[in-house]
């Protein structure tokens, strides 16, 4: 970066720089000998780069073949040992639980919270969550957490279903918990992409085995999306539904080749797939070969899914959108309701992701809940974080994202675990950008701000008219699938053999691209010899070479052209989809026309959960006057910070450290229970909760009350100066604490508010009807 650039002038683009290089190179035109010399140098350099490029492609092919011949291919960058093989479970699956062995120089604490990464199985092989040292696993290992990895084998077990995989993951987590009896904290679980919705299903069925959950780039609301920015959500409608998935599985003799999923990803960005990625290697062949081969080892590691698995996924998730509306029921009759998840959920997505855009990552919140009060009533904590630019793979592959976002998530997992229920958004700021940066323990600070559904809707951008279109797609899909199964499937299943299916997989265009440029092709025999000779006498051309500049400009024009074609294609697809499935006649033909049909209905009421909520409220109301100074201090902190716009980990660390000093035996789960109980007590009856503060402090001496007030001041000032509203609440709490002093030594005045905040009048928010106005009531609570 040029720190001396004029900030008032526009930043030069890549095209500008290329044009400038051409301008510099044009000087060679006035030198006949220089012009010829530049032409010869460029010709020699381009020939050498071509030889080296073809040799890298040969190495890529060899790498692919060697990788696919392994019994357990993986790109995981850490040593592991198998703890549980999913093939030995009652319902066998091709998943495995691995213990990650810490690298040399890194020690983990068995008493620390376990950290589990679940890899996505969406066409590629396992290992992406620990692909590099700066990765999700690498960050957790450096923080001292014992780490585990849930990966998979290339081929599914016969008859394997999505439910079997979910049950396998639950069994793996139970095993992890058994390995760490010295800690009461449940494992933190990270699910990338497809693994995100998979672990959310598991957490809805077995919530007691999960600690905080981080879902990165995971789609949960499949009909959501912004017009012009979500091309993949139209795929099901443009193919007539999921019948083509069934046909592809039948052509594979019951197996679905993951290379077709990878091809769908590649088509999203043709400029990168067909030119930019390859040209970047060609233009920087001397430095980029290792990085390119490292990534291609994962990108080309195609795996196979069971036909029943992929059909379940397409029918129920991508076309039917049944997960985020609690319509899925297991074979033993259990409803998969994401409202049953008891662990805090962190949703990490990016505005630069065209595979899982923010509306699809966040829309499930709106699908399940009426508003943020509904989230609180269900005792759920949901935190979302949006990256501005990174793409889909960058969310869980990029080193810069791992060093920033994933490091902060890992460092703050205990804080997230005890946060009161509600909807929050996180922001991450660098220490250099803060006035209090010197006081931070790390380079970044993670802050949490409460959000409401009006703010959430600006990210989800829900359009009711789109729901009817996608509901029409779901009906059409069911009709077409039924016709396929009646007329075509019996014939295909009768003629397909395992050998024919294996030959079709081998002939897939993506797989052939790797095989044709490998040592199995006789034409590639001279390449390694030629490449070695070029490396020994390499003649790279200078950047100011006229012809090199023209090459860069030509590449930019090709990228621009392919991007324009992509935008035209996606725009035409979206318009065609909207026109076809927006037709009233088609909607009426499948029984969906008219306002009487609700196509994205929220889950209904269950009387068992309503009774549970009433019982829970009565229990908490009975505890309003029960407890001691710990309850009083926590209640005061929650009350004061309830009026603050944001908070961060510093308040939590000070509060937890003070509790540990007063109660050495207290663990994180006790602290979490205390925080949540006091939060709900304030929600149920704020007036009574505040009026009973002196009761909780009965028997305390003046010195002890002074210590409590000093501790409150220390905690509340950790995040900076209090707002005027928070300062008035602190003054109100201080007065209530003073009422608990012994009568003969009671003090009349309150201490100074933290950080010398402007003195404000006591909080005059009406509390007479607090119970009625703040008690969380929900119309559609889930079953517990």
């Amino acid at each position: 970066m040029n720190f001396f650039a004029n900030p008032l002038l526009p930043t030069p683009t890549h095209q500008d720089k290329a044009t400038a290089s051409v301008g510099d190179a044009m000087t060679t035109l006035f030198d006949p000998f220089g012009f010829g010399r530049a032409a010869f140098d460029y010709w020699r350099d381009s020939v050498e780069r071509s030889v080296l490029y073809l040799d890298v492609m040969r190495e890529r092919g060899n790498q692919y073949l060697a990788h696919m011949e392994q019994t357990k291919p993986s790109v995981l960058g850490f040593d592991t040992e198998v703890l549980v093989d999913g093939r030995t479970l009652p319902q066998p699956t091709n998943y495995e639980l691995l213990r990650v062995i810490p690298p040399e120089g890194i020690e983990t604490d068995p008493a620390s919270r376990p950290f589990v990464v679940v890899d996505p199985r969406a066409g590629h092989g396992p290992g992406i969550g620990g692909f590099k040292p700066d990765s999700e696993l690498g960050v957790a290992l450096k923080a001292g957490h014992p780490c585990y990895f849930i990966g998979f084998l290339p081929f599914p077990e016969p008859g394997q279903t999505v439910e079997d995989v979910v049950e396998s993951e639950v069994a793996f987590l139970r095993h992890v918990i058994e390995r760490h009896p010295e800690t009461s904290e449940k494992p933190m679980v990270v699910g990338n992409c497809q693994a995100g919705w998979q672990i959310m299903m598991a957490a809805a069925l077995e919530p007691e085995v999960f600690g905080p959950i981080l879902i990165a780039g995971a789609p949960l609301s499949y009909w959501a999306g912004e017009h012009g920015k979500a091309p993949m959500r139209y795929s099901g409608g443009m193919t007539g539904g999921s019948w083509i998935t069934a046909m592809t599985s039948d052509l594979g003799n019951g197996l679905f080749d993951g290379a077709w999923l990878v091809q769908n990803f590649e088509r999203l960005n043709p400029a990168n797939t067909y030119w930019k990625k390859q040209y970047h290697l060609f233009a920087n062949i001397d430095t980029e070969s290792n990085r390119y081969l490292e990534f291609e080892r994962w990108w080309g590691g195609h795996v196979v899914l069971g036909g029943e698995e992929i059909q379940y996924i397409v029918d129920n998730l991508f076309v039917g959108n049944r997960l985020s509306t609690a319509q899925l029921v297991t074979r033993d009759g259990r409803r998969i309701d994401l409202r049953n998840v008891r662990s805090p959920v962190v949703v990490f997505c990016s505005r630069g992701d065209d595979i899982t855009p923010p509306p699809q990552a966040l829309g499930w919140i709106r699908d399940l809940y009426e508003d943020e009060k509904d989230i609180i009533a269900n005792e759920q904590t949901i935190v979302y974080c949006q990256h501005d630019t990174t793409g889909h793979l960058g969310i869980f592959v990029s080193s810069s994202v791992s060093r920033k976002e994933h490091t902060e998530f890992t460092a703050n997992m205990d804080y997230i675990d005890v946060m009161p229920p509600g909807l929050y958004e996180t922001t991450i700021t660098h220490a250099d950008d803060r006035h209090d940066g010197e006081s931070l323990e790390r380079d970044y600070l993670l802050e949490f701000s409460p959000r409401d559904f009006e703010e959430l809707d600006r990210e989800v951008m829900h359009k009711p008219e789109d729901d009817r279109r996608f509901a029409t797609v779901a009906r059409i899909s069911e009709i077409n699938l039924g016709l396929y199964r009646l007329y075509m499937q019996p014939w295909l299943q009768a003629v397909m053999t395992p050998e024919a299916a294996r030959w079709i997989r081998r002939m897939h265009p993506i797989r052939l691209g790797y095989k044709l440029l490998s040592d199995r092709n006789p034409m590639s025999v001279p390449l390694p010899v030629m490449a070695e000779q070029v490396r020994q006498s390499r003649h790279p051309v200078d950047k100011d070479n006229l012809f090199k500049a023209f090459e860069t400009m030509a590449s930019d024009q090709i990228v621009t052209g392919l991007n324009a074609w992509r935008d035209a294609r996606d725009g035409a697809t979206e318009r065609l989809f909207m026109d076809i499935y927006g037709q009233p006649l088609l909607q009426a033909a499948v029984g969906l026309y008219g306002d009487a049909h609700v196509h994205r209905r929220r889950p209904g009421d269950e009387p068992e959960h309503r009774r549970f909520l009433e019982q829970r409220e009565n229990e908490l109301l009975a505890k309003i006057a029960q407890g001691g100074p710990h309850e009083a201090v926590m209640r005061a902190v929650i009350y004061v910070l309830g009026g603050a716009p944001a908070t961060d980990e510093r308040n939590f660390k000070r509060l937890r450290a003070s509790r540990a000093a007063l109660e050495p035996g207290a663990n994180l789960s006790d602290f979490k229970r205390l925080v949540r109980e006091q939060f709900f007590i304030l929600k149920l009856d704020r007036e009574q909760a505040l009026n009973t503060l002196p009761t909780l402090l009965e028997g305390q001496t003046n010195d002890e009350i002074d210590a409590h007030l000093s501790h409150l001041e220390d905690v509340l000032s950790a995040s900076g100066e209090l707002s005027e509203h928070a300062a008035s609440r602190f003054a109100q709490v201080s007065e209530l604490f003073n009422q608990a002093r012994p009568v003969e030594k009671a003090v009349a005045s309150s201490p100074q508010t933290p950080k010398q905040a402007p003195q404000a009048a006591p909080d005059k928010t009406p509390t007479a009807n607090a119970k009625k106005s703040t008690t969380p009531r929900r119309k559609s609570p889930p079953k517990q």
Side-chain angles (χ1 to χ4, degrees):
M1 180 181 294
N2 183 6
F3 293 95
F4 301 98
N6 188 342
L8 300 179
L9 296 177
T11 304
T13 63
H14 183 73
Q15 185 74 27
D16 296 332
K17 294 177 180 178
T19 305
S21 298
V22 172
D24 295 338
M26 287 293 289
T27 57
T28 60
L29 291 175
F30 300 102
D31 180 6
F33 299 102
F35 181 81
R37 188 163 47 248
F40 174 79
D41 289 345
Y42 173 76
W43 172 82
R44 181 176 56 186
D45 173 66
S46 61
V47 170
E48 292 176 350
R49 282 187 289 150
S50 298
V51 172
L52 295 176
Y53 174 83
L54 290 174
D55 189 57
V56 172
M57 293 296 102
R58 179 191 63 84
E59 292 183 35
R60 185 187 74 152
N62 292 341
Q63 176 181 269
Y64 168 81
L65 294 172
H67 185 73
M68 297 308 297
E69 288 172 359
Q70 296 177 8
T71 305
K72 299 180 179 181
S74 176
V75 296
L76 199 63
F78 300 91
D79 294 331
T80 60
E81 63 171 328
V82 179
L83 297 180
V84 181
D85 189 333
R87 294 173 293 182
T88 65
L89 296 176
Q91 296 292 335
T93 63
N94 64 333
Y95 277 71
E96 292 180 324
L97 173 65
L98 309 175
R99 183 182 77 88
V100 180
I101 301 174
E104 185 177 356
I106 294 180
E107 295 183 1
T108 58
D109 182 6
S112 183
R113 184 195 296 272
F115 192 96
V116 181
V117 173
V118 185
D119 232 23
R121 184 162 157 255
H124 304 95
I128 196 65
F131 188 45
K132 304 175 181 178
D134 287 328
S135 60
E136 294 163 335
L137 280 178
V139 165
L141 286 169
K142 291 177 183 177
H145 296 278
C147 292
Y148 301 86
F149 185 81
I150 297 178
F152 48 87
L153 302 177
F155 289 88
E157 289 294 292
Q160 175 178 312
T161 66
V162 171
E163 289 184 30
D164 295 336
V165 173
V166 169
E167 293 295 342
S168 296
E169 292 173 347
V170 171
F172 294 156
L173 290 175
R174 293 190 190 280
H175 185 81
V176 171
I177 293 172
E178 292 173 359
R179 288 179 55 87
H180 296 274
E182 55 278 313
T183 178
S184 61
E185 285 88 26
K186 297 297 189 297
M188 179 175 179
V189 185
V190 179
N192 298 316
C193 188
Q194 171 269 345
W197 57 256
Q198 203 165 270
I199 65 170
M200 288 293 283
M201 291 174 64
L205 293 173
E206 302 290 344
E208 74 280 358
V209 301
F210 283 82
I213 298 172
L214 169 62
I215 51 177
L220 290 172
S221 185
Y222 306 91
W223 293 357
E226 181 182 1
H227 285 188
K229 293 187 178 180
M232 284 198 72
R233 68 175 182 152
Y234 307 119
S235 300
M238 300 314 295
T239 57
S242 66
W243 71 272
I244 196 169
T245 304
M247 185 183 72
T248 306
S249 299
D250 291 335
L251 289 173
N253 196 39
L255 297 176
F256 184 92
D257 188 0
W260 293 110
L261 299 177
V262 176
Q263 190 175 64
N264 287 338
F265 298 147
E266 290 187 338
R267 286 174 177 170
L268 282 175
N269 192 350
N272 184 70
T273 300
Y274 302 122
W275 180 261
K276 192 174 180 180
K277 180 173 67 172
Q278 314 302 335
Y279 174 73
H280 182 73
L281 171 65
F282 176 74
N284 303 276
I285 194 65
D286 299 306
T287 58
E288 283 294 306
S289 59
N290 290 336
R291 187 202 62 82
Y292 178 86
L293 290 173
E294 182 183 28
F295 179 77
E296 285 294 305
R297 190 163 62 96
W298 175 75
W299 188 253
H302 312 123
V303 297
V304 175
L305 290 82
E308 188 175 350
E309 285 182 285
I310 190 65
Q311 197 67 40
Y312 179 97
I313 293 170
V314 175
D315 284 338
N316 292 296
L317 304 183
F318 292 100
V319 173
N321 195 43
R322 298 187 178 104
L323 177 59
S324 66
T325 50
Q327 298 180 57
L328 293 180
V329 179
T330 64
R331 53 178 171 255
D332 57 356
R334 293 178 294 167
R335 183 172 297 278
I336 301 176
D337 190 342
L338 298 184
R339 295 174 302 174
N340 290 337
V341 178
R342 298 270 67 87
S343 303
V345 179
V346 181
V347 181
F348 183 33
C349 54
S350 173
R351 295 182 179 91
D353 184 356
D354 56 356
I355 294 176
T356 306
Q360 291 189 6
L362 300 172
W364 65 278
I365 305 172
R366 197 185 186 284
D367 292 348
L368 283 175
Y369 301 103
E370 297 283 347
D371 51 29
E372 64 276 5
K373 294 180 181 178
D374 203 13
I375 297 176
I376 295 173
N378 204 60
E379 300 188 24
Q380 278 200 320
T381 303
I382 302 175
V383 180
Y384 65 92
C385 177
Q386 296 186 85
H387 197 282
D388 289 329
T389 58
T390 191
H392 182 71
L393 291 178
I395 293 176
F396 39 88
V397 173
S398 171
S399 297
S400 60
V401 172
S402 295
R403 288 191 295 267
K404 183 180 178 182
E405 281 81 4
H406 286 294
T407 296
E408 290 304 307
F409 293 144
T410 303
N412 285 276
M413 70 172 70
D414 287 346
Y415 179 34
I416 295 172
D417 199 15
V418 302
M419 288 182 66
L423 179 65
Y424 304 88
E425 183 178 11
T426 65
T427 55
I428 302 177
T429 55
H430 197 279
D432 295 341
D433 299 329
R434 301 179 59 91
H435 68 279
D436 56 350
E438 295 181 356
S439 64
L440 302 183
E441 298 180 2
R442 298 181 304 279
D443 293 336
Y444 298 94
L445 180 69
L446 191 67
E447 297 181 280
F448 300 84
S449 301
R451 291 289 180 255
D452 56 33
F453 267 42
E454 182 178 349
E455 294 167 308
L456 178 67
D457 280 343
R458 288 198 286 268
E459 304 297 340
V460 175
M461 293 171 283
H462 175 245
K463 294 178 174 58
E465 61 272 17
D466 282 356
D467 289 346
R468 183 179 286 110
R469 291 186 173 98
F470 285 101
T472 303
V473 172
R475 289 283 179 89
I476 296 293
S477 176
E478 292 173 355
I479 295 170
N480 288 342
L481 181 60
L483 293 172
Y484 168 78
R485 285 175 171 167
L486 178 63
Y487 292 109
M488 291 184 61
Q489 190 174 62
W491 295 95
L492 268 182
Q493 291 181 344
V495 301
M496 286 304 302
T497 64
E499 292 75 16
R502 194 176 301 114
W503 182 84
I504 291 175
R505 284 196 297 272
R506 289 175 177 174
M507 291 298 104
H508 192 283
I510 291 183
R511 296 179 187 271
L512 278 179
Y514 289 91
K515 294 178 181 178
L516 291 178
L517 277 172
S518 68
D519 285 343
R520 294 186 183 180
N521 185 345
M523 300 291 291
S524 66
V525 171
L527 275 178
V529 178
M530 295 170 61
E532 183 60 30
Q533 291 179 346
V534 168
R535 292 188 186 98
Q536 291 178 358
S537 58
R538 179 77 171 93
H539 303 88
V541 74
D542 294 333
K543 289 184 178 181
D544 60 354
N545 183 283
L546 175 65
F547 300 95
K548 176 66 174 176
F550 277 131
E551 176 193 290
T552 304
M553 291 183 65
S555 173
D556 292 340
Q557 292 301 317
I558 292 173
V559 170
T560 301
L562 288 172
N563 285 338
W565 176 79
R566 176 204 61 197
D567 295 341
R569 178 201 64 186
D570 293 345
T573 301
E574 182 176 78
R575 287 192 298 271
L576 189 61
F577 177 92
M578 296 297 174
D579 291 342
I580 292 176
Y581 292 101
Q583 288 293 327
L585 181 60
L586 180 61
Q587 294 174 356
V590 296
L592 293 177
Y593 184 73
D595 297 332
H597 296 279
V598 180
H599 311 295
R600 194 193 287 252
R601 190 185 301 276
R602 290 187 176 88
D605 279 342
E606 293 189 12
E608 295 86 352
H609 187 64
R610 288 201 301 270
R611 287 195 295 269
F612 167 79
L613 287 179
E614 292 175 2
Q615 180 182 358
R616 177 66 171 157
E617 287 181 7
N618 292 331
E619 291 175 354
L620 290 173
L621 288 172
K623 291 183 177 181
I624 288 182
Q626 297 178 4
H630 296 321
E631 286 74 11
V633 170
M634 181 58 67
R635 192 177 299 178
V637 170
I638 295 174
Y639 174 65
V640 175
L641 290 181
T647 184
D648 57 57
E649 61 181 294
R650 293 173 292 183
N651 301 91
F652 161 72
K653 287 186 175 180
R654 290 190 180 184
L655 194 60
R656 188 181 177 195
S658 64
R659 177 172 170 81
L662 294 173
E663 286 189 50
N667 54 37
L668 183 63
S669 59
D670 295 332
F671 186 65
K672 178 179 180 178
R673 183 170 58 253
L674 174 65
V675 172
R676 288 179 173 257
E677 281 190 354
Q678 298 309 313
F679 174 82
F680 278 109
I681 284 174
L682 279 165
K683 280 286 181 182
L684 288 172
D685 194 337
R686 188 176 67 178
E687 181 182 19
Q688 185 66 14
L690 293 175
N691 291 338
T692 54
L693 284 177
T695 304
L696 299 178
L697 294 168
E698 284 183 358
Q700 297 286 293
T701 65
N702 280 317
D703 290 341
E704 289 173 331
I705 291 177
D706 287 338
H708 296 324
L709 288 171
S710 176
H711 169 60
L712 274 174
E713 181 178 349
D714 188 47
V715 170
L716 296 172
S717 62
S719 298
E721 184 175 318
L722 291 181
S723 65
E724 183 177 351
H725 185 58
S728 69
R729 288 191 170 198
F730 178 74
Q732 182 183 5
V733 166
S734 300
E735 182 61 33
L736 290 169
F737 271 55
N738 284 326
Q739 291 178 16
R741 294 178 183 272
V743 177
E744 65 276 7
K745 296 182 179 180
V747 295
S749 59
S750 300
Q752 179 65 36
T753 55
K755 292 289 183 181
Q756 301 297 320
Q759 186 64 35
D763 188 12
K764 296 181 181 180
T765 306
T767 59
N769 297 319
K771 183 175 180 179
K772 293 182 179 180
S773 60
T774 60
T775 302
R777 302 289 185 186
R778 57 177 293 116
K779 296 182 180 179
S780 306
K783 182 177 179 180
Q784 293 294 315

